[in-house]
Coordinates of all heavy atoms in Angstrom, one line a residue:
A223 N 0.8 -1.1 0.0 CA 0.0 0.0 0.0 C 0.9 1.2 0.0 O 0.6 2.2 -0.6 CB -0.9 -0.1 1.2
Y224 N 1.9 1.2 0.7 CA 2.8 2.4 0.8 C 3.6 2.7 -0.5 O 3.6 3.7 -0.9 CB 3.9 2.1 1.9 CG 5.0 3.2 2.0 CD1 4.7 4.4 2.6 CD2 6.3 2.9 1.5 CE1 5.6 5.4 2.8 CE2 7.3 3.9 1.7 CZ 6.9 5.1 2.3 OH 7.9 6.1 2.4
L225 N 4.0 1.7 -1.2 CA 4.7 1.8 -2.4 C 3.6 2.4 -3.6 O 4.0 3.2 -4.5 CB 5.4 0.5 -2.9 CG 6.5 0.1 -2.0 CD1 7.1 -1.2 -2.5 CD2 7.6 1.1 -2.0
A226 N 2.4 1.8 -3.4 CA 1.5 2.2 -4.5 C 1.2 3.7 -4.4 O 0.9 4.4 -5.3 CB 0.2 1.4 -4.3
K227 N 1.3 4.2 -3.2 CA 1.0 5.7 -2.9 C 2.2 6.6 -3.1 O 2.0 7.7 -3.6 CB 0.4 5.8 -1.5 CG 0.0 7.2 -1.2 CD -0.8 7.3 0.1 CE -1.3 8.7 0.6 NZ -1.9 8.7 1.9
H228 N 3.3 6.0 -2.8 CA 4.6 6.9 -2.7 C 5.6 6.7 -3.7 O 6.8 7.3 -3.6 CB 5.1 6.9 -1.3 CG 4.2 7.2 -0.2 ND1 4.0 8.6 0.1 CD2 3.5 6.5 0.6 CE1 3.2 8.7 1.1 NE2 2.8 7.5 1.5
T229 N 5.4 6.0 -4.7 CA 6.4 5.7 -5.8 C 5.8 6.0 -7.1 O 4.5 6.0 -7.3 CB 7.0 4.3 -5.7 OG1 6.0 3.4 -6.1 CG2 7.6 4.1 -4.4
F230 N 6.5 6.1 -8.2 CA 6.2 6.1 -9.5 C 7.2 5.4 -10.4 O 8.3 5.2 -10.1 CB 6.1 7.7 -10.0 CG 7.5 8.3 -10.0 CD1 8.1 8.4 -11.3 CD2 7.9 9.1 -9.0 CE1 9.4 9.1 -11.3 CE2 9.1 9.7 -9.0 CZ 9.9 9.8 -10.2
F231 N 6.7 5.0 -11.5 CA 7.4 4.2 -12.5 C 8.1 5.1 -13.5 O 7.5 6.1 -13.9 CB 6.6 3.1 -13.2 CG 6.4 1.9 -12.4 CD1 5.3 1.7 -11.6 CD2 7.3 0.8 -12.5 CE1 5.1 0.6 -10.8 CE2 7.0 -0.3 -11.8 CZ 5.9 -0.5 -10.9
K232 N 9.3 4.7 -13.9 CA 10.0 5.4 -15.0 C 11.0 4.5 -15.5 O 11.8 3.9 -14.8 CB 10.8 6.6 -14.5 CG 11.6 7.4 -15.3 CD 12.4 8.6 -14.8 CE 13.2 9.3 -15.6 NZ 14.0 10.4 -15.0
N233 N 11.0 4.3 -16.8 CA 11.8 3.3 -17.5 C 11.9 2.0 -16.9 O 13.0 1.4 -16.6 CB 13.3 3.9 -17.6 CG 13.4 5.0 -18.4 OD1 12.6 5.3 -19.3 ND2 14.2 6.1 -18.0
N234 N 10.7 1.5 -16.5 CA 10.5 0.1 -15.9 C 11.2 0.0 -14.5 O 11.4 -1.2 -14.0 CB 11.1 -0.9 -16.8 CG 10.3 -2.2 -16.8 OD1 9.0 -2.2 -16.6 ND2 10.9 -3.4 -16.9
E235 N 11.5 1.1 -13.8 CA 11.9 1.1 -12.4 C 11.1 2.0 -11.6 O 10.3 2.8 -12.1 CB 13.4 1.5 -12.4 CG 14.4 0.7 -13.2 CD 15.7 1.2 -13.2 OE1 15.9 2.5 -13.3 OE2 16.7 0.5 -13.1
I236 N 11.2 1.9 -10.2 CA 10.3 2.6 -9.3 C 11.2 3.8 -8.7 O 12.4 3.4 -8.3 CB 9.5 1.9 -8.3 CG1 10.3 1.2 -7.4 CG2 8.5 1.0 -9.0 CD1 9.6 0.8 -6.0
F237 N 10.6 4.9 -8.4 CA 11.2 6.0 -7.8 C 10.4 6.6 -6.7 O 9.1 6.5 -6.8 CB 11.6 7.0 -8.9 CG 12.7 6.7 -9.9 CD1 12.2 5.8 -11.0 CD2 13.9 7.0 -9.8 CE1 13.2 5.4 -12.0 CE2 14.9 6.7 -10.7 CZ 14.5 5.8 -11.8
S238 N 11.0 7.1 -5.7 CA 10.4 7.7 -4.6 C 9.7 9.1 -5.1 O 10.5 9.8 -5.7 CB 11.3 7.9 -3.4 OG 10.8 8.9 -2.5
K239 N 8.4 9.3 -4.9 CA 7.9 10.6 -5.2 C 8.6 11.7 -4.3 O 8.6 12.8 -4.8 CB 6.4 10.6 -5.0 CG 5.7 9.8 -5.9 CD 4.1 9.7 -5.7 CE 3.3 9.0 -6.6 NZ 1.9 9.0 -6.3
K240 N 9.0 11.4 -3.1 CA 9.5 12.4 -2.2 C 10.9 12.8 -2.5 O 11.3 13.9 -2.7 CB 9.3 12.0 -0.7 CG 9.8 13.0 0.3 CD 9.5 12.6 1.7 CE 10.0 13.7 2.7 NZ 9.6 13.3 4.1
S241 N 11.7 11.8 -2.7 CA 13.2 12.1 -3.0 C 13.6 12.0 -4.4 O 14.7 12.7 -4.6 CB 14.0 11.0 -2.1 OG 13.9 9.7 -2.7
G242 N 12.8 11.4 -5.2 CA 13.1 11.3 -6.6 C 14.1 10.1 -6.8 O 14.6 9.9 -8.0
R243 N 14.6 9.5 -5.8 CA 15.7 8.5 -6.0 C 15.0 7.1 -6.4 O 13.9 6.8 -6.0 CB 16.4 8.3 -4.7 CG 17.3 9.5 -4.3 CD 18.2 9.2 -3.1 NE 17.3 9.1 -1.8 CZ 17.5 10.1 -0.8 NH1 18.1 11.2 -1.0 NH2 16.7 10.0 0.1
R244 N 15.8 6.3 -7.1 CA 15.4 5.1 -7.5 C 15.4 4.2 -6.3 O 16.2 4.1 -5.4 CB 16.5 4.3 -8.4 CG 16.0 3.0 -8.9 CD 17.0 2.5 -10.0 NE 18.2 2.0 -9.4 CZ 18.9 1.0 -9.8 NH1 18.4 0.1 -10.9 NH2 20.0 0.5 -9.3
I245 N 14.3 3.3 -6.2 CA 14.2 2.3 -5.1 C 14.5 0.9 -5.8 O 13.7 0.5 -6.6 CB 12.9 2.2 -4.4 CG1 12.5 3.6 -3.8 CG2 12.9 1.1 -3.3 CD1 11.1 3.8 -3.2
S246 N 15.6 0.4 -5.5 CA 16.1 -0.7 -6.3 C 15.9 -2.1 -5.7 O 16.0 -3.1 -6.4 CB 17.7 -0.5 -6.6 OG 18.4 -0.5 -5.5
A247 N 15.8 -2.2 -4.5 CA 15.8 -3.6 -3.8 C 15.1 -3.6 -2.4 O 14.9 -2.4 -1.8 CB 17.2 -4.1 -3.6
M248 N 14.7 -4.7 -2.0 CA 14.2 -4.9 -0.6 C 15.0 -6.0 0.1 O 15.6 -6.9 -0.6 CB 12.7 -5.2 -0.7 CG 12.4 -6.7 -1.2 SD 10.7 -7.2 -0.7 CE 9.6 -6.2 -1.7
V249 N 15.1 -5.9 1.4 CA 15.9 -6.9 2.2 C 15.0 -7.2 3.4 O 15.1 -6.8 4.5 CB 17.3 -6.2 2.7 CG1 18.0 -7.3 3.4 CG2 18.0 -5.6 1.5
P250 N 14.2 -8.4 3.1 CA 13.4 -8.8 4.3 C 14.3 -9.7 5.2 O 15.2 -10.3 4.7 CB 12.4 -9.8 3.6 CG 12.9 -10.1 2.2 CD 13.8 -8.9 1.8
M251 N 14.1 -9.4 6.4 CA 15.0 -10.2 7.4 C 14.1 -11.2 8.3 O 13.0 -10.7 8.7 CB 15.7 -9.1 8.3 CG 16.9 -9.6 9.2 SD 16.3 -10.3 10.8 CE 15.9 -8.9 11.7
H252 N 14.5 -12.4 8.4 CA 13.9 -13.4 9.1 C 14.2 -13.2 10.6 O 15.1 -13.9 11.1 CB 14.2 -14.8 8.6 CG 14.0 -15.0 7.2 ND1 12.7 -14.9 6.7 CD2 14.7 -15.1 6.1 CE1 12.8 -15.1 5.4 NE2 14.0 -15.1 5.0
T253 N 13.4 -12.4 11.4 CA 13.8 -12.0 12.7 C 13.7 -13.1 13.7 O 12.8 -13.9 13.9 CB 12.7 -11.0 13.2 OG1 12.6 -10.0 12.2 CG2 13.1 -10.3 14.5
F254 N 14.8 -13.3 14.3 CA 15.1 -14.4 15.4 C 14.8 -15.8 14.8 O 14.6 -16.7 15.6 CB 14.2 -14.1 16.6 CG 14.4 -12.8 17.2 CD1 13.1 -12.1 17.6 CD2 15.6 -12.3 17.4 CE1 13.4 -10.8 18.2 CE2 15.7 -11.0 18.0 CZ 14.6 -10.3 18.4
G255 N 14.9 -15.9 13.5 CA 14.8 -17.2 12.9 C 13.5 -17.5 12.4 O 13.2 -18.5 11.8
H256 N 12.5 -16.5 12.7 CA 11.1 -16.6 12.2 C 10.8 -16.2 10.7 O 11.1 -15.0 10.5 CB 10.1 -16.0 13.1 CG 10.1 -16.4 14.5 ND1 9.8 -17.7 14.9 CD2 10.5 -15.8 15.7 CE1 9.9 -17.9 16.2 NE2 10.4 -16.8 16.8
P257 N 10.5 -17.0 9.8 CA 10.4 -16.6 8.4 C 9.2 -15.6 8.2 O 8.3 -15.6 8.9 CB 10.0 -17.9 7.7 CG 10.5 -19.0 8.6 CD 10.3 -18.5 10.0
V258 N 9.6 -14.6 7.4 CA 8.5 -13.6 7.0 C 7.7 -14.3 5.8 O 8.0 -15.4 5.3 CB 9.1 -12.3 6.4 CG1 9.9 -11.6 7.6 CG2 10.2 -12.6 5.3

């Protein structure tokens, strides 16, 4: 929901509406061994 509201697509990549920077990756972390 957050990305749908706060990003835009350009050349098949997403960018932050606020900063204008490319958002290139996510890093999910399996906290204390519990899978996300």
Side-chain angles (χ1 to χ4, degrees):
Y224 175 76
L225 292 176
K227 184 176 181 180
H228 295 281
T229 65
F230 66 93
F231 278 90
K232 177 182 174 183
N233 298 328
N234 215 32
E235 297 176 319
I236 66 160
F237 293 79
S238 165
K239 288 181 179 179
K240 184 174 182 179
S241 69
R243 291 186 289 252
R244 182 177 78 140
I245 303 176
S246 57
M248 69 163 69
V249 186
M251 196 271 286
H252 304 293
T253 311
F254 306 134
H256 298 298
V258 295

